[in-house]
């Protein structure tokens, strides 16, 4: 393994695609990668926003695992921490957060390469949030943000953005306007069906392209460690019909 597994609450807990070999959990993220990339054959998906209805749903974990899975195909990937309220990417990768997206936006003298960090995964780079600003939403609608995002898209084949929960603030709705598609991460058994529907409707109200819903932390038989929870994926035509737990079944591969 590149990083040893740690106790719950540590920075890289849940990053199952870091492990060598083919665990069932890692394969689930590989399937998620394939589903997303093949869903955009007619309209390619190269920039993705990852959000959730509420906090602690595993959106950052999903973003990191998906990024690693894509990078392992040999494509360049940049993970961007667009959660300017409770950033987490720097913790996952053990980086300091003294500089990042916010400093890049407000300092004309900085270049993307000055603040983008390498990771131990080949082809995978990360742009942390930088210091938390007093005006996150204003930064996200600024021309500086738009220009910066376009530069990053030119440098990397795939751009994955983390964001705050969609029902908490307007930031995800703003960010969704600058990407090819949005993934909604739902914490299995913790998010009511009505809340998930409201989050999706809020994104669709601003014309966001919702690629699908990722069901995170699905319990598995015989594997009780939280570290090995599986993501399930539902595309446009595969949404669950009911909010009852027994309807949330992992898609067969």
């Amino acid at each position: 393994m590149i990083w040893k597994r740690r106790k719950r609450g540590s920075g890289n807990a849940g990053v199952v695609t870091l492990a060598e070999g083919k665990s069932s959990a890692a394969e689930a993220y590989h399937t998620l990668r394939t589903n997303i990339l093949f869903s955009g054959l007619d309209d390619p998906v190269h920039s993705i926003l990852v959000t959730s209805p509420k906090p602690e749903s595993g959106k950052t974990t999903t973003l990191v695992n998906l990024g690693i899975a894509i990078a392992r195909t040999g494509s360049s990937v940049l993970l961007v921490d667009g959660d300017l309220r409770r950033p987490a990417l720097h913790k996952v990768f053990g980086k300091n957060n003294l500089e990042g997206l916010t400093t890049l936006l407000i300092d004309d003298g900085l270049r993307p390469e000055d603040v983008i960090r390498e990771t131990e995964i080949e082809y995978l780079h990360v742009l942390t949030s930088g210091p938390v600003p007093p005006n996150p939403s204003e930064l996200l609608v600024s021309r500086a943000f738009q220009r910066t995002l376009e530069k990053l898209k030119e440098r990397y084949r795939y751009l994955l953005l983390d964001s705050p929960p969609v029902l908490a603030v307007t930031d995800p709705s703003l960010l969704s306007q600058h990407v090819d598609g949005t993934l909604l991460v739902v914490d299995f058994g913790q998010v009511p069906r009505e809340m998930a529907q409201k989050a999706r409707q809020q994104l669709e109200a601003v014309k966001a392209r919702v690629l699908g819903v990722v069901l995170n932390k699905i319990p598995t038989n015989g594997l009780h460690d939280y570290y090995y929870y599986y993501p399930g994926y539902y595309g446009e035509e595969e949404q669950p019909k009911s909010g009852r737990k027994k309807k949330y079944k992992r898609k067969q591969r």
Side-chain angles (χ1 to χ4, degrees):
M1 294 180 67
I2 293 176
W3 284 320
K4 294 181 179 179
R5 190 173 66 177
R6 300 178 184 175
K7 295 180 180 179
R8 187 170 188 172
S10 64
N12 62 12
V15 186
V16 295
T17 47
L18 284 173
E20 296 176 357
K22 294 184 178 180
S23 70
S24 297
E27 282 300 298
Y29 282 106
H30 296 159
T31 300
L32 174 62
R33 171 197 66 198
T34 301
N35 287 343
I36 292 172
L37 300 187
F38 276 90
S39 70
L41 289 179
D42 295 327
D43 190 6
V45 176
H46 292 287
S47 55
I48 302 170
L49 176 70
V50 181
T51 186
S52 60
K54 69 176 189 66
E56 307 299 331
S57 292
K59 61 180 179 59
T60 301
T61 298
T62 298
L63 175 115
V64 173
N65 278 296
L66 178 59
I68 294 173
I70 295 175
R72 282 185 167 161
T73 66
S75 296
S76 60
V77 180
L78 178 65
L79 306 181
V80 180
D81 200 337
D83 189 341
L84 303 185
R85 300 172 189 270
R86 294 181 62 187
L89 273 184
H90 64 287
K91 298 177 182 178
V92 175
F93 290 97
K95 309 292 185 181
N96 71 63
N97 202 27
L98 299 178
E99 290 186 323
L101 178 60
T102 55
T103 50
L104 188 60
L105 295 179
I106 63 176
D107 188 343
D108 293 334
L110 280 178
R111 302 168 300 171
E113 55 266 32
D114 294 330
V115 292
I116 290 175
R117 323 283 186 84
E118 294 183 349
T119 72
E120 295 187 53
I121 302 295
E122 190 175 10
Y123 303 115
L124 183 72
H125 291 179
V126 61
L127 175 58
T128 64
S129 71
V132 175
N135 55 342
S137 296
E138 292 180 23
L139 281 181
L140 297 178
V141 297
S142 67
R143 291 184 179 180
F145 177 75
Q146 296 179 36
R147 290 194 299 267
T148 297
L149 207 59
E150 290 306 314
K151 290 180 182 178
L152 297 177
K153 289 179 181 178
E154 293 173 358
R155 290 169 175 262
Y156 293 89
R157 183 167 178 79
Y158 292 100
L159 192 68
L160 277 61
L161 282 82
D162 200 359
S163 81
V166 67
L167 295 180
V169 291
T170 61
D171 300 13
S173 296
L174 298 173
L175 288 168
S176 69
Q177 305 305 296
H178 302 288
V179 295
D180 297 328
T182 298
L183 275 181
L184 188 63
V185 179
V186 175
D187 191 352
F188 178 83
Q190 301 299 317
V191 176
R193 180 169 179 254
E194 294 75 16
M195 181 182 288
Q197 288 179 330
K198 184 177 180 181
R200 180 172 181 137
Q201 290 168 359
Q202 187 165 313
L203 289 167
E204 292 176 339
V206 296
K207 308 300 182 183
R209 178 186 177 189
V210 180
L211 299 173
V213 177
V214 175
L215 297 181
N216 194 39
K217 303 179 184 177
I218 300 175
T220 59
N221 294 330
L223 293 175
H224 303 293
D225 191 339
Y226 76 96
Y227 184 86
Y228 288 107
Y229 285 2
Y230 291 70
Y233 173 78
Y234 294 89
E236 295 292 344
E237 305 301 326
E238 301 178 85
Q239 295 303 316
K241 303 300 182 182
S242 168
R244 293 177 297 174
K245 287 186 179 181
K246 66 179 182 179
K247 291 293 182 180
Y248 287 101
K249 294 183 178 180
R250 182 163 54 93
K251 184 177 178 181
Q252 297 296 316
R253 300 191 299 279

